[in-house]
Amino acid sequence: MGLELPILWLSVLMFGGLGVLLLLGLPMAFCTGSLAVLFLFLFGNSAVLNMLPSRIFPFMTDYQLSAVPLFIFMAAILEKAGIIEELFDVVYKWLGGLKGGLASATVISCTLLAAMVGVVGATEVTMGMIALPAMLKRNYDAKLACGSLLAGGTLGILIPPSVMAIVYAVVAQQSLGELLVGSVFPGLLLSGMYVGYVTLRCYINPALGPALPVDERVSFVEKLRLLRRTILPILLIILVLGVIFLGIATPVEAAGIGTFGAFIVCAAHRQLTWDTIRDAGIATLKATAMVMWIFFGATMFVGFFILKGGQTFVSDSILGTGLAAYGVLILMMVILFVLGMFLDWVGILLLTVPIFLPILKGLQFDGLFGLPGVASSDVPLWYGVIFMVNMQMAFLSPPFGYSLFYLKSVAPPQITMATIFRSAVPFLFLQAIGVALCIVFPAITLWLPKMVYVAN
Amino acid sequence: MPSLTFVMPHWLYWSTLGLFPLVATWLVYREQERRDFGRPNLFLAYLFLLTAGFLGMHRFYLKSAWGMIFIPFFLAVLWTSADIRIARENLSLSRSEAEHAERLLTRAQSDLAAGKTGAAQRLAKAEADAAPARDHFAASTDGLRRANGYARVAGILLGLLLLGDAFLLPRLVRRRRQRETTPTPPLVHPLDTGVPASAVKPPLPFFRPVDWLVRVTGELVAYWAVLAVFAYYYEVVARYIFNSPTNWVHESMFLMFGMQYMLAGAYAYRDETHVRVDIVYSHLSVRGRAVCDIITSFFFFLFAGALLVTGWRFASDAISIGERSFTEWGIQYWPVKLTMPIGAALLILQGLSRLVRDIAIVAGKVE
């Protein structure tokens, strides 16, 4: 129809419309997609609509994106193999003698699982089913127990392999390998902070997380024998991450080999049946369809917004505040946090990265407090990892955080939603500290990719 | 090691995509009839022998530590095929070097015959240069022959081990089954990674065929993920053990996944796995949600309808020219594009089923 509207009003109309439709409960993928169609028709003509398939088709034929279903499939097969129970069992027998040992064991098992799994859902749910009752039975503080589960389970999407890294790599045209390698230390940093926090609290006040009674602890010889059960999972971690880090195969191929390895692990646990494969395949299908359809819808929406000058508009408004480079970055972090309270990470990534990243690329990051800064060629990688760490908060921030709902769905009835909300708060602070550390010390993110990729 | 030159024929690719899900469905059904799981079985043992036997995986599957024997042989094969790769590179370098020297030599000879000045010195220099180049070439040929020889020995030994195990396998499985008399019970796992929101709405009787269509399409294409695992595995094995990377694995797999995303949209909508923002919506009554859904259905159909119409135009252009990809493999593109209108049509059908149900809820006809 060829209407014209100043960009300010267009932005208000687009994002206002998005907000209203989301509140009315239309799935994210269809909100963005339908608004894009509507606006394309109103502000262009029906012929412009033909760009719809030609924008979607490149995502259907994207090589990197096929790692998304493969990593999800691998996770589903491993969960079916019972690897979560097994790892938790071993780790908790090792740490049982410490104060808060079960909570630390939860975080550490989640970290190990995160190195095999690229999503959050099923790990969080299964760990919730086994670790939460175990901790409550031994009189752990409910908030500490829930918090360690929430924070630990969410690491799944940060520590490589990570589905979020794949999506970011495709949207930002950034090397996936570098991104995966770059997120190793931030992931371990967060994991270490969680363990440190839990242990510290339990040593100050042992009533929060008492150590196992002496007669329930296992001997050292028994502990060594238990280690045998971790051989297969650890081999699998080494296989997948080793293949990616050494550049032997692409991340997509690594996902393929990893899933093959998961088949063998599942068979060795005598759980590999056609029924297992069917269940895992369907769970994968649903999770992938959810991510990909948001891709299809949001790419149209953002594409239209940028076409109409939205990019320059946002850039001018943010830079017009007169903030320095780091101020702009912090402002973006705050925006991401607020969006994270309501939206899930796929939507946030697809809506914000195409708009924010070009702004950041044009800025100079010379380092804070006299510390070394970030070269402009490293900004997409650096921002990618900071974004991923920030999105950890999106999983935990009420009112709409996935991890909260996953945990609630398996928690015993005496654990109320209010308890879960409150248990997330200290861990949200830890995550915010993590984001700050990654901003102040870019080397946490950038050092390992440089080592790995210059050496190759 | 021999080279693998297999290129997936197009007819085999399309028929595998079509038939594998059906076979898998039948296998699931048969397994439920037989109820023999939780113990080792011969099929998986042979599968692992065939695909990962060079790592001893079939032995590990049967909890036999003898699988370790395979690992040094495997490492030897890996080592020699890396050697071959280096030797091949050396050979092609030294060959071009030798050819260059020979060319200079013949030119110098013809110059001498034509009686040009300084030709004699050039001939002497060219002869001096050609000799080491020839030696180099001979050495590289020799190196490659040696590497090939080692690879053959390692490969044959590994092959003999595998062949021996192929005969032993039935007995090994039988013995293992006797030791594992009680089958491991299947674990019950919640694999739902979607939003734990409202339950799936059952369709009205009239829309049951639509519901069936959407469900069956989704369940069938879900099995494609298994194909990808074996395809990528084949690619990496072919590259590192047989030194023959393929030109079809990557393309065939991302196209397959592309079709899967499209066809799965309606299935995910049916199962409520498309994320929504639940702040208000999940606190509404069943009727309130139905009212919201009716209001937003306009936008839903706008998107799905536009996708159907433009997607059909997009696909029919491709069909009319019988579009193929520009790669060496040259696979047909039009079926991939055709999934776009099909996916949109399924989505519309599923949306209609929901809309009618929501209207019935608001009208008080259904609970």
Side-chain angles (χ1 to χ4, degrees), chain A residues 25 28 34 50 60 79 82 248 253 268 270 274-275 286 290 293 342 402 406, chain B residues 31 61 63 180 185 187 189 193 239-240 250 258 261 271 273 275-276 279 299 313:
Chain A
M28 179 82 182
S34 63
N50 283 325
M60 290 172 65
E79 271 138 22
I248 294 174
E253 288 167 345
R270 305 284 178 257
W274 282 103
D275 216 40
K286 286 188 210 163
M290 184 273 274
W293 280 77
F342 305 102
Y402 270 103
Y406 288 140
Chain B
E31 188 182 78
Y61 170 59
K63 309 257 149 114
E180 288 180 30
L187 289 168
H189 261 286
T193 38
R239 195 162 71 219
Y240 281 98
H250 288 140
Y261 311 143
D271 271 33
T273 35
V275 225
R276 38 173 111 231
I279 317 170
F299 289 89
R313 232 177 271 157

mmCIF file of all heavy atoms in Angstrom, chain A residues 25 28 34 50 60 79 82 248 253 268 270 274-275 286 290 293 342 402 406, chain B residues 31 61 63 180 185 187 189 193 239-240 250 258 261 271 273 275-276 279 299 313:
data_model
loop_
_atom_site.group_PDB
_atom_site.id
_atom_site.type_symbol
_atom_site.label_atom_id
_atom_site.label_comp_id
_atom_site.label_asym_id
_atom_site.label_seq_id
_atom_site.Cartn_x
_atom_site.Cartn_y
_atom_site.Cartn_z
ATOM 1 N N GLY A 25 -0.579 -14.017 24.020
ATOM 2 C CA GLY A 25 -0.260 -15.442 24.032
ATOM 3 C C GLY A 25 0.009 -16.051 22.677
ATOM 4 O O GLY A 25 0.037 -17.270 22.552
ATOM 5 N N MET A 28 5.910 -16.541 19.906
ATOM 6 C CA MET A 28 6.914 -15.594 19.420
ATOM 7 C C MET A 28 7.148 -15.682 17.912
ATOM 8 O O MET A 28 7.215 -14.663 17.214
ATOM 9 C CB MET A 28 8.214 -15.922 20.159
ATOM 10 C CG MET A 28 9.375 -15.083 19.779
ATOM 11 S SD MET A 28 9.279 -13.546 20.669
ATOM 12 C CE MET A 28 10.689 -12.711 20.020
ATOM 13 N N SER A 34 4.087 -12.549 11.588
ATOM 14 C CA SER A 34 2.870 -11.925 11.071
ATOM 15 C C SER A 34 3.010 -10.412 11.037
ATOM 16 O O SER A 34 2.553 -9.763 10.095
ATOM 17 C CB SER A 34 1.676 -12.326 11.929
ATOM 18 O OG SER A 34 1.851 -11.853 13.233
ATOM 19 N N ASN A 50 7.095 -11.191 -1.692
ATOM 20 C CA ASN A 50 7.825 -12.317 -2.269
ATOM 21 C C ASN A 50 9.214 -12.477 -1.686
ATOM 22 O O ASN A 50 9.868 -13.477 -1.914
ATOM 23 C CB ASN A 50 7.924 -12.159 -3.785
ATOM 24 C CG ASN A 50 6.611 -12.516 -4.424
ATOM 25 O OD1 ASN A 50 5.923 -13.416 -3.958
ATOM 26 N ND2 ASN A 50 6.241 -11.790 -5.453
ATOM 27 N N MET A 60 17.091 -22.451 5.746
ATOM 28 C CA MET A 60 16.818 -23.874 5.552
ATOM 29 C C MET A 60 18.034 -24.593 4.985
ATOM 30 O O MET A 60 18.172 -25.793 5.128
ATOM 31 C CB MET A 60 15.640 -24.079 4.594
ATOM 32 C CG MET A 60 14.310 -23.673 5.168
ATOM 33 S SD MET A 60 13.042 -23.745 3.902
ATOM 34 C CE MET A 60 12.992 -25.494 3.551
ATOM 35 N N GLU A 79 20.628 -38.423 27.668
ATOM 36 C CA GLU A 79 19.722 -38.424 28.808
ATOM 37 C C GLU A 79 18.981 -39.735 28.913
ATOM 38 O O GLU A 79 18.775 -40.270 29.992
ATOM 39 C CB GLU A 79 18.733 -37.263 28.693
ATOM 40 C CG GLU A 79 19.281 -36.027 29.326
ATOM 41 C CD GLU A 79 19.016 -34.794 28.516
ATOM 42 O OE1 GLU A 79 18.078 -34.803 27.696
ATOM 43 O OE2 GLU A 79 19.757 -33.822 28.687
ATOM 44 N N GLY A 82 20.764 -42.499 30.687
ATOM 45 C CA GLY A 82 20.871 -42.475 32.140
ATOM 46 C C GLY A 82 22.193 -41.918 32.618
ATOM 47 O O GLY A 82 22.645 -42.198 33.721
ATOM 48 N N ILE A 248 39.975 -30.797 13.905
ATOM 49 C CA ILE A 248 39.975 -32.041 13.126
ATOM 50 C C ILE A 248 38.747 -32.085 12.230
ATOM 51 O O ILE A 248 38.798 -32.509 11.088
ATOM 52 C CB ILE A 248 39.998 -33.257 14.074
ATOM 53 C CG1 ILE A 248 41.323 -33.292 14.817
ATOM 54 C CG2 ILE A 248 39.773 -34.554 13.316
ATOM 55 C CD1 ILE A 248 41.411 -34.348 15.875
ATOM 56 N N GLU A 253 30.254 -31.645 12.090
ATOM 57 C CA GLU A 253 30.705 -33.036 12.058
ATOM 58 C C GLU A 253 30.944 -33.550 13.465
ATOM 59 O O GLU A 253 30.638 -34.699 13.779
ATOM 60 C CB GLU A 253 31.979 -33.153 11.233
ATOM 61 C CG GLU A 253 31.738 -32.977 9.751
ATOM 62 C CD GLU A 253 33.022 -32.771 8.974
ATOM 63 O OE1 GLU A 253 34.063 -32.477 9.598
ATOM 64 O OE2 GLU A 253 32.981 -32.895 7.748
ATOM 65 N N ALA A 268 25.760 -49.283 25.579
ATOM 66 C CA ALA A 268 26.510 -49.913 26.660
ATOM 67 C C ALA A 268 25.699 -49.904 27.952
ATOM 68 O O ALA A 268 25.878 -50.765 28.805
ATOM 69 C CB ALA A 268 27.833 -49.191 26.863
ATOM 70 N N ARG A 270 22.636 -50.416 27.857
ATOM 71 C CA ARG A 270 21.499 -51.276 27.485
ATOM 72 C C ARG A 270 20.196 -50.490 27.391
ATOM 73 O O ARG A 270 19.146 -50.964 27.782
ATOM 74 C CB ARG A 270 21.330 -52.413 28.510
ATOM 75 C CG ARG A 270 22.576 -53.242 28.712
ATOM 76 C CD ARG A 270 22.826 -54.189 27.577
ATOM 77 N NE ARG A 270 24.045 -54.947 27.771
ATOM 78 C CZ ARG A 270 25.198 -54.688 27.136
ATOM 79 N NH1 ARG A 270 25.283 -53.683 26.289
ATOM 80 N NH2 ARG A 270 26.255 -55.426 27.352
ATOM 81 N N TRP A 274 14.704 -48.912 19.707
ATOM 82 C CA TRP A 274 14.057 -48.062 18.711
ATOM 83 C C TRP A 274 13.113 -47.076 19.376
ATOM 84 O O TRP A 274 12.912 -45.969 18.901
ATOM 85 C CB TRP A 274 13.315 -48.917 17.688
ATOM 86 C CG TRP A 274 14.268 -49.492 16.707
ATOM 87 C CD1 TRP A 274 14.739 -50.770 16.665
ATOM 88 C CD2 TRP A 274 14.913 -48.787 15.639
ATOM 89 N NE1 TRP A 274 15.636 -50.904 15.637
ATOM 90 C CE2 TRP A 274 15.758 -49.715 14.987
ATOM 91 C CE3 TRP A 274 14.861 -47.480 15.178
ATOM 92 C CZ2 TRP A 274 16.538 -49.358 13.895
ATOM 93 C CZ3 TRP A 274 15.643 -47.129 14.088
ATOM 94 C CH2 TRP A 274 16.465 -48.054 13.455
ATOM 95 N N ASP A 275 12.564 -47.507 20.489
ATOM 96 C CA ASP A 275 11.667 -46.626 21.225
ATOM 97 C C ASP A 275 12.425 -45.402 21.757
ATOM 98 O O ASP A 275 11.929 -44.275 21.696
ATOM 99 C CB ASP A 275 11.062 -47.420 22.387
ATOM 100 C CG ASP A 275 9.639 -47.009 22.632
ATOM 101 O OD1 ASP A 275 8.926 -46.790 21.636
ATOM 102 O OD2 ASP A 275 9.267 -46.887 23.805
ATOM 103 N N LYS A 286 10.872 -31.191 18.165
ATOM 104 C CA LYS A 286 10.106 -30.088 18.763
ATOM 105 C C LYS A 286 11.026 -28.945 19.140
ATOM 106 O O LYS A 286 10.742 -27.781 18.847
ATOM 107 C CB LYS A 286 9.403 -30.590 20.027
ATOM 108 C CG LYS A 286 8.214 -31.471 19.764
ATOM 109 C CD LYS A 286 7.529 -31.709 21.085
ATOM 110 C CE LYS A 286 6.833 -33.035 21.139
ATOM 111 N NZ LYS A 286 6.523 -33.422 22.509
ATOM 112 N N MET A 290 11.062 -25.182 17.328
ATOM 113 C CA MET A 290 10.847 -23.980 18.122
ATOM 114 C C MET A 290 11.908 -22.931 17.776
ATOM 115 O O MET A 290 11.595 -21.777 17.506
ATOM 116 C CB MET A 290 10.902 -24.394 19.593
ATOM 117 C CG MET A 290 10.624 -23.329 20.577
ATOM 118 S SD MET A 290 12.060 -22.429 21.016
ATOM 119 C CE MET A 290 12.810 -23.297 22.292
ATOM 120 N N TRP A 293 11.663 -21.780 13.777
ATOM 121 C CA TRP A 293 10.543 -20.934 13.364
ATOM 122 C C TRP A 293 10.672 -19.529 13.915
ATOM 123 O O TRP A 293 10.229 -18.576 13.295
ATOM 124 C CB TRP A 293 9.201 -21.590 13.705
ATOM 125 C CG TRP A 293 8.858 -22.611 12.679
ATOM 126 C CD1 TRP A 293 9.393 -23.858 12.588
ATOM 127 C CD2 TRP A 293 7.986 -22.464 11.553
ATOM 128 N NE1 TRP A 293 8.896 -24.497 11.480
ATOM 129 C CE2 TRP A 293 8.023 -23.669 10.828
ATOM 130 C CE3 TRP A 293 7.171 -21.434 11.095
ATOM 131 C CZ2 TRP A 293 7.285 -23.864 9.668
ATOM 132 C CZ3 TRP A 293 6.421 -21.632 9.945
ATOM 133 C CH2 TRP A 293 6.487 -22.847 9.246
ATOM 134 N N PHE A 342 11.284 -11.328 30.216
ATOM 135 C CA PHE A 342 10.027 -11.666 29.551
ATOM 136 C C PHE A 342 10.183 -12.611 28.367
ATOM 137 O O PHE A 342 9.317 -13.437 28.122
ATOM 138 C CB PHE A 342 9.330 -10.387 29.077
ATOM 139 C CG PHE A 342 9.129 -9.408 30.177
ATOM 140 C CD1 PHE A 342 9.948 -8.307 30.327
ATOM 141 C CD2 PHE A 342 8.125 -9.620 31.115
ATOM 142 C CE1 PHE A 342 9.776 -7.425 31.370
ATOM 143 C CE2 PHE A 342 7.944 -8.745 32.159
ATOM 144 C CZ PHE A 342 8.771 -7.640 32.284
ATOM 145 N N TYR A 402 12.982 -19.710 32.004
ATOM 146 C CA TYR A 402 12.747 -21.132 31.739
ATOM 147 C C TYR A 402 13.128 -22.033 32.889
ATOM 148 O O TYR A 402 12.378 -22.902 33.299
ATOM 149 C CB TYR A 402 13.605 -21.567 30.561
ATOM 150 C CG TYR A 402 12.920 -21.409 29.265
ATOM 151 C CD1 TYR A 402 13.235 -20.354 28.438
ATOM 152 C CD2 TYR A 402 11.969 -22.323 28.881
ATOM 153 C CE1 TYR A 402 12.614 -20.207 27.236
ATOM 154 C CE2 TYR A 402 11.345 -22.175 27.677
ATOM 155 C CZ TYR A 402 11.669 -21.113 26.856
ATOM 156 O OH TYR A 402 11.052 -20.972 25.678
ATOM 157 N N TYR A 406 11.080 -25.078 34.676
ATOM 158 C CA TYR A 406 11.527 -26.480 34.606
ATOM 159 C C TYR A 406 11.620 -27.060 36.003
ATOM 160 O O TYR A 406 11.157 -28.172 36.267
ATOM 161 C CB TYR A 406 12.907 -26.576 33.952
ATOM 162 C CG TYR A 406 12.929 -26.310 32.480
ATOM 163 C CD1 TYR A 406 13.968 -25.585 31.912
ATOM 164 C CD2 TYR A 406 11.937 -26.810 31.639
ATOM 165 C CE1 TYR A 406 14.015 -25.346 30.552
ATOM 166 C CE2 TYR A 406 11.982 -26.566 30.287
ATOM 167 C CZ TYR A 406 13.018 -25.830 29.747
ATOM 168 O OH TYR A 406 13.068 -25.588 28.415
ATOM 169 N N GLU B 31 9.400 -54.010 17.909
ATOM 170 C CA GLU B 31 10.082 -54.102 19.189
ATOM 171 C C GLU B 31 9.091 -54.164 20.344
ATOM 172 O O GLU B 31 9.264 -54.925 21.302
ATOM 173 C CB GLU B 31 10.980 -52.879 19.339
ATOM 174 C CG GLU B 31 11.893 -52.906 20.509
ATOM 175 C CD GLU B 31 12.688 -51.620 20.559
ATOM 176 O OE1 GLU B 31 12.137 -50.590 20.990
ATOM 177 O OE2 GLU B 31 13.837 -51.639 20.129
ATOM 178 N N TYR B 61 30.794 -52.920 23.592
ATOM 179 C CA TYR B 61 29.337 -53.051 23.734
ATOM 180 C C TYR B 61 29.006 -54.328 24.501
ATOM 181 O O TYR B 61 28.102 -54.352 25.331
ATOM 182 C CB TYR B 61 28.690 -53.070 22.345
ATOM 183 C CG TYR B 61 27.231 -53.429 22.314
ATOM 184 C CD1 TYR B 61 26.300 -52.669 23.004
ATOM 185 C CD2 TYR B 61 26.786 -54.540 21.606
ATOM 186 C CE1 TYR B 61 24.965 -53.006 22.978
ATOM 187 C CE2 TYR B 61 25.456 -54.880 21.573
ATOM 188 C CZ TYR B 61 24.540 -54.107 22.263
ATOM 189 O OH TYR B 61 23.225 -54.440 22.231
ATOM 190 N N LYS B 63 30.863 -55.612 26.708
ATOM 191 C CA LYS B 63 31.639 -55.528 27.953
ATOM 192 C C LYS B 63 32.840 -56.459 27.920
ATOM 193 O O LYS B 63 33.157 -57.120 28.902
ATOM 194 C CB LYS B 63 30.765 -55.875 29.171
ATOM 195 C CG LYS B 63 29.469 -55.115 29.238
ATOM 196 C CD LYS B 63 29.540 -54.011 30.255
ATOM 197 C CE LYS B 63 28.674 -52.872 29.833
ATOM 198 N NZ LYS B 63 27.547 -52.576 30.608
ATOM 199 N N GLU B 180 23.721 -61.644 31.416
ATOM 200 C CA GLU B 180 22.776 -60.561 31.742
ATOM 201 C C GLU B 180 21.358 -61.095 31.615
ATOM 202 O O GLU B 180 20.655 -60.754 30.678
ATOM 203 C CB GLU B 180 22.965 -59.379 30.785
ATOM 204 C CG GLU B 180 24.232 -58.618 31.026
ATOM 205 C CD GLU B 180 24.395 -57.452 30.062
ATOM 206 O OE1 GLU B 180 23.382 -56.894 29.616
ATOM 207 O OE2 GLU B 180 25.549 -57.138 29.742
ATOM 208 N N PRO B 185 15.929 -52.304 33.158
ATOM 209 C CA PRO B 185 14.637 -51.676 32.847
ATOM 210 C C PRO B 185 14.844 -50.352 32.139
ATOM 211 O O PRO B 185 15.807 -49.644 32.438
ATOM 212 C CB PRO B 185 14.015 -51.474 34.231
ATOM 213 C CG PRO B 185 15.159 -51.433 35.161
ATOM 214 C CD PRO B 185 16.234 -52.306 34.577
ATOM 215 N N LEU B 187 14.734 -46.532 31.342
ATOM 216 C CA LEU B 187 14.594 -45.358 32.205
ATOM 217 C C LEU B 187 13.431 -44.518 31.714
ATOM 218 O O LEU B 187 13.233 -44.375 30.517
ATOM 219 C CB LEU B 187 15.849 -44.508 32.139
ATOM 220 C CG LEU B 187 17.089 -45.063 32.812
ATOM 221 C CD1 LEU B 187 18.291 -44.243 32.404
ATOM 222 C CD2 LEU B 187 16.918 -45.003 34.315
ATOM 223 N N HIS B 189 12.211 -40.961 31.269
ATOM 224 C CA HIS B 189 12.818 -39.645 31.282
ATOM 225 C C HIS B 189 11.896 -38.606 30.705
ATOM 226 O O HIS B 189 11.313 -38.819 29.656
ATOM 227 C CB HIS B 189 14.093 -39.655 30.454
ATOM 228 C CG HIS B 189 15.305 -39.793 31.283
ATOM 229 N ND1 HIS B 189 15.791 -38.784 32.041
ATOM 230 C CD2 HIS B 189 16.112 -40.844 31.476
ATOM 231 C CE1 HIS B 189 16.861 -39.201 32.670
ATOM 232 N NE2 HIS B 189 17.086 -40.444 32.352
ATOM 233 N N THR B 193 11.622 -30.492 26.146
ATOM 234 C CA THR B 193 12.432 -29.296 26.290
ATOM 235 C C THR B 193 11.613 -28.046 26.015
ATOM 236 O O THR B 193 12.122 -26.955 26.014
ATOM 237 C CB THR B 193 13.636 -29.355 25.330
ATOM 238 O OG1 THR B 193 13.199 -29.945 24.129
ATOM 239 C CG2 THR B 193 14.750 -30.156 25.924
ATOM 240 N N ARG B 239 37.203 -39.463 5.446
ATOM 241 C CA ARG B 239 38.250 -38.477 5.281
ATOM 242 C C ARG B 239 39.538 -38.896 5.968
ATOM 243 O O ARG B 239 40.612 -38.773 5.409
ATOM 244 C CB ARG B 239 37.774 -37.136 5.824
ATOM 245 C CG ARG B 239 38.653 -36.002 5.364
ATOM 246 C CD ARG B 239 37.973 -34.686 5.509
ATOM 247 N NE ARG B 239 37.848 -34.295 6.889
ATOM 248 C CZ ARG B 239 36.790 -33.700 7.402
ATOM 249 N NH1 ARG B 239 35.753 -33.455 6.649
ATOM 250 N NH2 ARG B 239 36.738 -33.365 8.667
ATOM 251 N N TYR B 240 39.419 -39.412 7.199
ATOM 252 C CA TYR B 240 40.636 -39.661 7.964
ATOM 253 C C TYR B 240 41.192 -41.058 7.779
ATOM 254 O O TYR B 240 42.390 -41.263 7.904
ATOM 255 C CB TYR B 240 40.411 -39.353 9.447
ATOM 256 C CG TYR B 240 40.470 -37.888 9.669
ATOM 257 C CD1 TYR B 240 39.318 -37.120 9.739
ATOM 258 C CD2 TYR B 240 41.698 -37.235 9.712
ATOM 259 C CE1 TYR B 240 39.383 -35.759 9.877
ATOM 260 C CE2 TYR B 240 41.768 -35.867 9.853
ATOM 261 C CZ TYR B 240 40.612 -35.141 9.936
ATOM 262 O OH TYR B 240 40.689 -33.774 10.058
ATOM 263 N N HIS B 250 27.643 -33.200 3.338
ATOM 264 C CA HIS B 250 27.209 -31.941 3.945
ATOM 265 C C HIS B 250 25.953 -31.405 3.292
ATOM 266 O O HIS B 250 24.998 -31.052 3.961
ATOM 267 C CB HIS B 250 28.341 -30.917 3.865
ATOM 268 C CG HIS B 250 29.453 -31.246 4.797
ATOM 269 N ND1 HIS B 250 30.771 -31.095 4.480
ATOM 270 C CD2 HIS B 250 29.429 -31.757 6.031
ATOM 271 C CE1 HIS B 250 31.509 -31.488 5.498
ATOM 272 N NE2 HIS B 250 30.722 -31.894 6.450
ATOM 273 N N GLY B 258 16.782 -28.795 6.573
ATOM 274 C CA GLY B 258 15.952 -27.679 6.137
ATOM 275 C C GLY B 258 14.517 -28.120 5.908
ATOM 276 O O GLY B 258 13.565 -27.474 6.352
ATOM 277 N N TYR B 261 12.850 -28.792 9.354
ATOM 278 C CA TYR B 261 12.366 -27.619 10.104
ATOM 279 C C TYR B 261 11.004 -27.190 9.595
ATOM 280 O O TYR B 261 10.095 -26.886 10.354
ATOM 281 C CB TYR B 261 13.283 -26.402 9.943
ATOM 282 C CG TYR B 261 14.758 -26.587 10.154
ATOM 283 C CD1 TYR B 261 15.675 -25.901 9.372
ATOM 284 C CD2 TYR B 261 15.232 -27.426 11.154
ATOM 285 C CE1 TYR B 261 17.043 -26.051 9.564
ATOM 286 C CE2 TYR B 261 16.602 -27.578 11.334
ATOM 287 C CZ TYR B 261 17.495 -26.884 10.531
ATOM 288 O OH TYR B 261 18.836 -27.029 10.707
ATOM 289 N N ASP B 271 1.804 -29.483 19.519
ATOM 290 C CA ASP B 271 2.266 -29.899 20.841
ATOM 291 C C ASP B 271 2.623 -28.729 21.747
ATOM 292 O O ASP B 271 3.241 -28.924 22.790
ATOM 293 C CB ASP B 271 3.486 -30.814 20.694
ATOM 294 C CG ASP B 271 3.057 -32.249 20.557
ATOM 295 O OD1 ASP B 271 1.984 -32.470 19.974
ATOM 296 O OD2 ASP B 271 3.780 -33.144 21.032
ATOM 297 N N THR B 273 4.873 -26.406 21.593
ATOM 298 C CA THR B 273 6.274 -26.164 21.951
ATOM 299 C C THR B 273 6.798 -24.857 21.394
ATOM 300 O O THR B 273 7.927 -24.501 21.665
ATOM 301 C CB THR B 273 7.191 -27.302 21.489
ATOM 302 O OG1 THR B 273 6.696 -27.802 20.275
ATOM 303 C CG2 THR B 273 7.253 -28.396 22.517
ATOM 304 N N VAL B 275 7.511 -21.222 21.698
ATOM 305 C CA VAL B 275 7.516 -20.426 22.928
ATOM 306 C C VAL B 275 6.536 -19.286 22.863
ATOM 307 O O VAL B 275 6.455 -18.577 21.871
ATOM 308 C CB VAL B 275 8.867 -19.708 23.160
ATOM 309 C CG1 VAL B 275 9.295 -19.859 24.566
ATOM 310 C CG2 VAL B 275 9.865 -20.034 22.134
ATOM 311 N N ARG B 276 5.850 -19.080 23.955
ATOM 312 C CA ARG B 276 5.041 -17.877 24.089
ATOM 313 C C ARG B 276 5.396 -17.212 25.409
ATOM 314 O O ARG B 276 6.049 -17.817 26.260
ATOM 315 C CB ARG B 276 3.558 -18.202 24.017
ATOM 316 C CG ARG B 276 3.172 -19.489 24.706
ATOM 317 C CD ARG B 276 1.691 -19.667 24.736
ATOM 318 N NE ARG B 276 1.204 -20.735 23.889
ATOM 319 C CZ ARG B 276 0.233 -20.588 23.003
ATOM 320 N NH1 ARG B 276 -0.317 -19.424 22.829
ATOM 321 N NH2 ARG B 276 -0.193 -21.604 22.292
ATOM 322 N N ILE B 279 3.216 -14.509 30.755
ATOM 323 C CA ILE B 279 2.957 -13.679 31.940
ATOM 324 C C ILE B 279 1.464 -13.529 32.201
ATOM 325 O O ILE B 279 0.991 -13.706 33.310
ATOM 326 C CB ILE B 279 3.544 -12.269 31.776
ATOM 327 C CG1 ILE B 279 4.926 -12.358 31.180
ATOM 328 C CG2 ILE B 279 3.569 -11.537 33.097
ATOM 329 C CD1 ILE B 279 5.458 -11.025 30.780
ATOM 330 N N PHE B 299 -3.617 -12.846 13.030
ATOM 331 C CA PHE B 299 -2.206 -12.641 12.711
ATOM 332 C C PHE B 299 -1.551 -13.956 12.312
ATOM 333 O O PHE B 299 -0.742 -14.015 11.398
ATOM 334 C CB PHE B 299 -1.476 -12.023 13.913
ATOM 335 C CG PHE B 299 -1.880 -10.608 14.135
ATOM 336 C CD1 PHE B 299 -2.965 -10.294 14.950
ATOM 337 C CD2 PHE B 299 -1.200 -9.581 13.513
ATOM 338 C CE1 PHE B 299 -3.346 -8.991 15.141
ATOM 339 C CE2 PHE B 299 -1.576 -8.266 13.707
ATOM 340 C CZ PHE B 299 -2.657 -7.972 14.517
ATOM 341 N N ARG B 313 4.624 -19.888 -4.887
ATOM 342 C CA ARG B 313 5.189 -19.220 -6.056
ATOM 343 C C ARG B 313 6.675 -19.549 -6.189
ATOM 344 O O ARG B 313 7.171 -19.867 -7.261
ATOM 345 C CB ARG B 313 5.010 -17.705 -5.894
ATOM 346 C CG ARG B 313 4.351 -17.048 -7.102
ATOM 347 C CD ARG B 313 4.138 -15.584 -6.836
ATOM 348 N NE ARG B 313 2.864 -15.320 -6.200
ATOM 349 C CZ ARG B 313 2.616 -14.226 -5.471
ATOM 350 N NH1 ARG B 313 3.556 -13.322 -5.289
ATOM 351 N NH2 ARG B 313 1.426 -14.044 -4.946
#
